[in-house]
Amino acid sequence: DAKTTQPTSMDCAEGRAANLPCNHSTISGNEYVYWYRQIHSQGPQYIIHGLKNNETNEMASLIITEDRKSSTLILPHATLRDTAVYYCIVKRVNYGGSQGNLIFGKGTKLSVKP
Amino acid sequence: EAGVAQSPRYKIIEKRQSVAFWCNPISGHATLYWYQQILGQGPKLLIQFQNNGVVDDSQLPKDRFSAERLKGVDSTLKIQPAKLEDSAVYLCASSSPDPRVTLYEQYFGPGTRLTVT
């Protein structure tokens, strides 16, 4: 599975949008981009995933560049409870076949400040 | 829907002792994973089960770690004997086998924090 590069840490003011970048320049055609986050003392939590189109759900938006070599996770109105480590992962998905594993890096520690 | 359950939440043992962790996945999830997360790092996959069969255990230190999922539901991870470097959080996760549901999204439990002294 491809590797990703993320900044070690970021700060964001409460109520503002948090934009978390991720580089995945060696991503393959059948690899999806997944984002998980881990709040202190909890297990990781799924946020969103995408292949090549932009995606939005109740938690966040995912913007993937046209060449798929990078992406940005957007939390539109960050709250203090969004303080967490955010992991960007690329994972192979084969319908009905063997799956790639989630390979976690160190992620980005997002601190939302009042 | 109930989440992934794990117990105990915390465990302190001395080196060379043995320890076991238990996981109950989300009902209907055929795939179960055990991860090890050392402080300051992301989780690392130890073993993956599909029903009661092992799919991937390439990163499981088999000289001291073992895991089973006898009836394809609950799972147990054991360490015997423990070393100081086994101090970590052990996370269990499960996923649905139906990609139409969530494209194999994994749901994680709260983890068991193990301290080896």
Side-chain angles (χ1 to χ4, degrees), chain A residues 32 34 36 38 46 95 101 105, chain B residues 37 42 48 56 103 105-106:
Chain A
Y32 282 68
Y34 283 75
Y36 281 74
Q38 189 170 24
Y46 165 83
Y95 286 86
N101 291 322
Chain B
Q37 185 172 24
Q48 177 185 345
D56 183 355
L103 213 64
E105 166 193 341
Q106 294 185 25

Side-chain angles (χ1 to χ4, degrees), chain A residues 32 34 36 38 41 43-44 46 49 87 91 93-96 99 101-102 104-106, chain B residues 9 35 37 40-43 45 48 56 91 99 102-106 108-110 113:
Chain A
Y32 282 68
Y34 283 75
Y36 281 74
Q38 189 170 24
S41 296
Y46 165 83
H49 71 269
Y87 298 100
K91 189 174 94 73
V93 175
N94 296 317
Y95 286 86
Q99 308 304 314
N101 291 322
L102 289 178
F104 290 84
K106 293 189 176 182
Chain B
R9 291 296 312 277
Y35 290 83
Q37 185 172 24
Q41 300 182 17
L45 179 69
Q48 177 185 345
D56 183 355
L91 295 158
T102 54
L103 213 64
Y104 304 110
E105 166 193 341
Q106 294 185 25
F108 285 79
R113 181 176 298 277

Side-chain angles (χ1 to χ4, degrees), chain A:
Chain A
D1 291 308
K3 294 183 178 179
T4 63
T5 305
Q6 298 178 252
T8 302
S9 63
M10 294 181 64
D11 289 342
C12 178
E14 187 178 20
R16 303 297 295 268
N19 296 277
L20 291 89
C22 179
N23 287 319
H24 32 79
S25 59
T26 60
I27 192 169
S28 299
N30 65 348
E31 289 179 322
Y32 282 68
V33 179
Y34 283 75
W35 283 83
Y36 281 74
R37 74 177 182 184
Q38 189 170 24
I39 294 170
H40 184 61
S41 296
Q42 297 183 20
Q45 175 192 23
Y46 165 83
I47 301 173
I48 199 167
H49 71 269
L51 181 62
K52 53 185 177 181
N53 297 322
N54 297 337
E55 302 288 344
T56 295
N57 63 20
E58 64 277 5
M59 289 183 68
S61 295
L62 174 61
I63 308 298
I64 302 174
T65 58
E66 192 169 342
D67 63 7
R68 302 213 318 129
K69 293 185 177 182
S70 66
S71 61
T72 301
L73 179 75
I74 301 172
L75 308 179
H77 306 287
T79 71
L80 299 179
R81 285 176 292 184
D82 292 321
T83 292
V85 177
Y86 287 76
Y87 298 100
C88 170
I89 302 165
V90 291
K91 189 174 94 73
R92 182 182 74 250
V93 175
N94 296 317
Y95 286 86
S98 65
Q99 308 304 314
N101 291 322
L102 289 178
I103 300 176
F104 290 84
K106 293 189 176 182
T108 296
K109 181 172 175 53
L110 176 69
S111 298
V112 181
K113 300 180 183 299

Side-chain angles (χ1 to χ4, degrees), chain B residues 13-35:
Chain B
I13 61 172
E14 296 181 351
K15 59 184 179 183
R16 291 187 290 274
Q17 287 186 325
S18 62
V19 64
F21 312 126
W22 173 82
C23 172
N24 181 244
I26 292 173
S27 177
H29 281 193
T31 309
L32 185 146
Y33 313 79
W34 283 101
Y35 290 83

Side-chain angles (χ1 to χ4, degrees), chain B residues 5-72:
Chain B
Q6 291 188 247
S7 68
R9 291 296 312 277
Y10 305 91
K11 190 74 176 179
I12 301 174
I13 61 172
E14 296 181 351
K15 59 184 179 183
R16 291 187 290 274
Q17 287 186 325
S18 62
V19 64
F21 312 126
W22 173 82
C23 172
N24 181 244
I26 292 173
S27 177
H29 281 193
T31 309
L32 185 146
Y33 313 79
W34 283 101
Y35 290 83
Q36 179 192 58
Q37 185 172 24
I38 293 173
L39 186 65
Q41 300 182 17
K44 182 185 83 171
L45 179 69
L46 291 176
I47 189 168
Q48 177 185 345
F49 291 94
Q50 180 75 16
N51 295 308
N52 61 351
V54 175
V55 173
D56 183 355
D57 64 356
S58 58
Q59 298 201 78
L60 187 73
K62 299 180 185 65
D63 57 334
R64 297 184 301 105
F65 286 64
S66 64
E68 60 184 14
R69 194 183 183 201
L70 293 176
K71 297 183 179 180

